[in-house]
């Protein structure tokens, strides 16, 4: 045998019968086995699987294959050493950074001025966004209060950073629960604007997605779809409406699980560049979180959107009409109020969405009313500016009309 650490044997069956050696490792080339020498401190043997093979210098080919295996092993060992060294360097870097911050904190006098809250609220434009939230959304006082609390945290963090105090990006992922039409999408859009003005989002735009946008129909389809939506939302806010449909408890092989896993990873590792908002009914969202506890732990802000009262819905209608340069006559307001009171007790009621549909229907009926009046033989056909702006009582569906359709009628 060779005096090198490895020796070569061409006849596997003969060698094992003679020496009784046991295989300890397959060679990387797939051509043989490495076995221990029965003699203590003896060489290892590389046994070829070509029993009875003759001709050529077999050991030369095996030596090359074995050297490749040893080289690969050395590379892996080197990678492991480099990874260990990197971890140690990261630990040391973190330790030095902590010491630097502690020293900096000691050197900063308590009287150091970081600026005023108003300066950041107005300079960054946060106050403007909050004011627009008050103007554009009727009611929702608990929601507005929570949005202001988040804005306050971001402003104070900016003040801390200005004088060198330690700050960290808070968990800005959110869960919005409430009925349809309660303003969840609008608030998500405003949050994106606030985060952009405070420097927490690059663009501050809003991307709205549902299960159909994220989950594929066959194996290998879900990951690309989910990643594409996330890519569009990067730098802003991703609102997933009815997020509980991502998980189907009745089907363990449902592709939604893959989408959830991707989202969990993104929410943890990219929280400085993407805010994920999950929205839906409260009871269904709670059940969803019971199945996916890792999702709930990544969400730092849970905001409940209450249903609107009748008077608030009427104010929403007036605000919508104002934006379209319409005006509701006082008598028409009362017709709308009675209609909404009746409509709230029926299926498929959707708060502000129902109001929008009622206003659109009133505009349609007003257009038909004006058209018929002006084509009548007794009319001169002229239409005044006021006529084009006024919505009258007969333009709105009345509670009596709604009742005539039946208690379970699908309206809108």
């Amino acid at each position: 045998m060779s005096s090198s650490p490895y020796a070569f044997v061409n006849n596997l069956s003969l060698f094992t019968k003679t020496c009784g050696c046991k295989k300890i490792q397959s060679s990387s080339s797939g051509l043989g086995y490495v076995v221990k020498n029965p003699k203590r401190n003896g060489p290892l043997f590389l046994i070829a699987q070509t029993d009875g093979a003759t001709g050529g210098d077999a050991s030369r080919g095996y030596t090359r294959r074995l050297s490749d295996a040893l080289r690969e092993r050395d590379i892996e060992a080197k990678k492991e050493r480099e990874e260990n060294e990197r971890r140690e360097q990261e630990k040391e870097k973190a330790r030095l950074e902590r010491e630097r911050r502690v020293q900096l904190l000691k050197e900063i006098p308590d009287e150091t001025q970081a600026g005023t809250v108003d300066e950041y609220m107005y300079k960054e434009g946060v106050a403007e966004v909050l004011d627009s939230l008050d103007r554009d959304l009727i009611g929702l006082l608990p929601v507005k209060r929570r949005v202001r609390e988040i804005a306050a945290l971001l402003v104070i963090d900016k003040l801390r950073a200005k004088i060198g105090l330690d700050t960290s990006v808070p968990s800005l992922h959110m869960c919005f629960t409430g009925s349809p039409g309660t303003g969840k999408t609008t608030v998500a859009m405003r949050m994106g604007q606030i985060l952009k003005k405070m420097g927490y989002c690059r663009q501050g735009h809003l991307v709205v997605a549902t299960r159909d946008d994220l989950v594929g129909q066959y194996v290998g389809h879900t990951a690309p779809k989910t990643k594409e939506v996330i890519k569009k939302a990067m730098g802003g806010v991703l609102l997933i409406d009815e997020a509980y449909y991502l998980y189907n408890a009745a089907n363990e092989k449902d592709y939604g699980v893959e989408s959830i896993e991707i989202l969990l990873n993104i929410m943890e590792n990219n929280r400085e560049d993407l805010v994920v908002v999950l929205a839906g009914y409260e009871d269904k969202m709670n059940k969803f979180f019971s199945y996916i506890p890792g999702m709930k732990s990544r969400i730092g802000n849970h905001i409940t959107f209450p249903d609107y009262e009748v008077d608030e819905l009427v104010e929403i209608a007036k605000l919508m009409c104002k934006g379209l340069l319409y005006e509701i006559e006082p008598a028409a307001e009362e017709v709308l109020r009675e209609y909404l009171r009746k409509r709230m007790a029926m299926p498929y009621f959707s708060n502000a969405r129902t109001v929008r549909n009622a206003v659109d229907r009133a505009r349609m009926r007003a257009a038909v009313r004006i058209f018929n009046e002006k084509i009548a033989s007794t009319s001169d056909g002229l239409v005044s500016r006021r006529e084009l702006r006024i919505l009258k009582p007969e333009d709105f569906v009345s509670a009596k009309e709604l009742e005539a359709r039946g208690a379970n009628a699908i309206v809108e």
Side-chain angles (χ1 to χ4, degrees):
M1 290 294 176
S2 171
S3 60
S4 67
Y6 293 87
F8 301 91
V9 179
N10 281 334
N11 195 310
L12 173 62
S13 57
L14 177 61
F15 182 84
T16 53
K17 286 180 181 179
T18 304
C19 300
C21 297
K22 294 182 179 179
K23 178 180 72 171
I24 63 170
Q25 177 185 339
S26 297
S27 72
S28 63
S29 65
L31 297 175
Y33 304 98
V34 177
V35 298
K36 282 187 177 297
N37 192 307
K39 295 181 180 180
R40 187 173 183 178
N41 299 324
L44 295 175
F45 292 99
L46 178 63
I47 305 175
Q49 293 178 342
T50 55
D51 287 356
T54 59
D57 187 355
S59 65
R60 181 180 303 170
Y62 297 147
T63 302
R64 181 178 59 78
R65 298 284 188 169
L66 186 57
S67 64
D68 290 345
L70 293 174
R71 188 179 302 110
E72 291 174 3
R73 186 184 65 181
D74 291 341
I75 292 173
E76 292 298 323
K78 182 180 178 181
K79 288 182 178 179
E80 185 175 352
R81 286 196 304 270
E82 291 176 348
E83 180 64 20
N84 291 335
E85 290 174 0
R86 188 191 64 79
R87 290 197 190 101
E88 291 299 323
Q89 290 173 358
E90 289 292 334
K91 289 181 181 179
E92 181 64 15
K93 184 178 179 181
R95 184 186 67 80
L96 293 174
E97 180 63 18
R98 284 194 300 270
E99 291 180 356
R100 186 191 68 81
R101 289 176 178 176
V102 170
Q103 184 62 32
L104 181 63
L105 185 60
K106 292 179 180 179
E107 294 174 356
I108 298 175
D110 290 342
E111 295 77 16
T112 301
Q113 299 297 321
T116 66
V117 171
D118 283 348
E119 176 186 355
Y120 273 85
M121 289 290 286
Y122 289 98
K123 177 182 176 182
E124 303 293 345
V126 177
E128 179 185 350
V129 177
L130 292 176
D131 289 343
S132 69
L133 193 65
D134 284 333
R135 291 194 306 270
D136 298 343
L137 285 182
I138 302 297
L140 297 181
L141 296 181
V143 175
K144 295 175 181 177
R145 182 167 57 248
R146 188 59 186 274
V147 172
R148 287 184 175 275
E149 290 171 354
I150 295 173
L153 172 62
L154 301 181
V155 169
I156 297 303
D157 268 2
K158 285 290 184 180
L159 291 170
R160 285 173 57 88
K162 185 177 180 180
I163 60 172
L165 293 177
D166 191 17
T167 61
S168 62
V169 178
S171 175
L172 296 174
H173 301 308
M174 306 177 191
C175 176
F176 291 172
T177 54
S179 302
T182 49
K184 296 186 289 294
T185 302
T186 302
V187 172
M189 182 171 61
R190 294 292 190 274
M191 282 305 307
Q193 295 172 356
I194 292 174
L195 295 174
K196 179 184 178 182
K197 292 180 180 298
M198 295 303 300
Y200 287 92
C201 284
R202 288 181 288 110
Q203 301 179 44
H205 63 296
L206 174 67
V207 173
V208 181
T210 62
R211 176 187 167 95
D212 290 341
D213 301 306
L214 299 168
V215 182
Q217 302 297 319
Y218 50 84
V219 175
H221 191 207
T222 296
K225 289 189 69 173
T226 301
K227 291 177 181 178
E228 180 63 25
V229 172
I230 290 173
K231 182 179 178 181
K232 292 179 182 177
M234 275 297 178
V237 177
L238 172 59
L239 173 65
I240 304 177
D241 199 15
E242 297 182 311
Y244 34 75
Y245 287 129
L246 288 178
Y247 184 81
N248 184 359
N251 184 3
E252 295 180 356
K253 296 182 180 180
D254 183 69
Y255 299 134
V257 175
E258 184 179 359
S259 181
I260 292 172
E261 290 174 353
I262 295 173
L263 286 168
L264 288 173
N265 182 61
I266 292 294
M267 291 170 69
E268 184 65 27
N269 299 326
N270 296 78
R271 56 182 178 171
E272 296 183 3
D273 200 33
L274 178 67
V275 174
V276 176
V277 179
L278 307 181
Y281 290 105
E282 185 172 7
D283 56 340
K284 293 185 178 181
M285 287 304 304
N286 289 336
K287 192 172 183 180
F288 171 72
F289 287 136
S290 70
Y291 292 130
I292 317 292
M295 184 69 79
K296 186 173 185 178
S297 65
R298 285 170 171 78
I299 295 176
N301 301 281
H302 293 260
I303 303 177
T304 300
F305 287 66
D307 289 331
Y308 288 104
E309 300 294 335
V310 172
D311 289 340
E312 291 176 332
L313 292 172
V314 172
E315 290 301 315
I316 291 173
K318 291 168 66 176
L319 190 63
M320 289 178 179
C321 288
K322 183 179 179 181
L324 296 169
L325 299 180
Y326 277 93
E327 183 179 339
I328 304 177
E329 284 189 346
E333 284 186 27
E334 189 57 34
V335 173
L336 176 61
R337 182 176 284 104
E338 292 302 316
Y339 164 82
L340 291 172
R341 186 174 287 113
K342 178 71 176 178
R343 183 69 185 84
M344 290 173 69
M346 298 178 66
Y348 311 109
F349 175 71
S350 301
N351 289 279
R353 294 181 192 171
T354 296
V355 173
R356 183 186 297 112
N357 291 334
V359 169
D360 288 343
R361 191 184 306 107
R363 292 172 55 209
M364 177 76 72
R365 290 172 64 152
V368 172
R369 171 177 55 80
I370 295 172
F371 180 84
N372 289 336
E373 288 176 356
K374 299 307 176 182
I375 65 172
S377 57
T378 57
S379 173
D380 59 7
L382 297 176
V383 183
S384 69
R385 181 175 181 273
R386 175 173 174 76
E387 289 175 313
L388 292 174
R389 294 184 63 246
I390 293 296
L391 295 177
K392 297 185 176 182
E394 59 265 32
D395 297 331
F396 289 93
V397 176
S398 67
K400 188 174 182 180
E401 288 180 78
L402 185 61
E403 187 174 2
R405 298 182 183 182
N408 295 319
I410 299 179
V411 192
E412 288 128 33

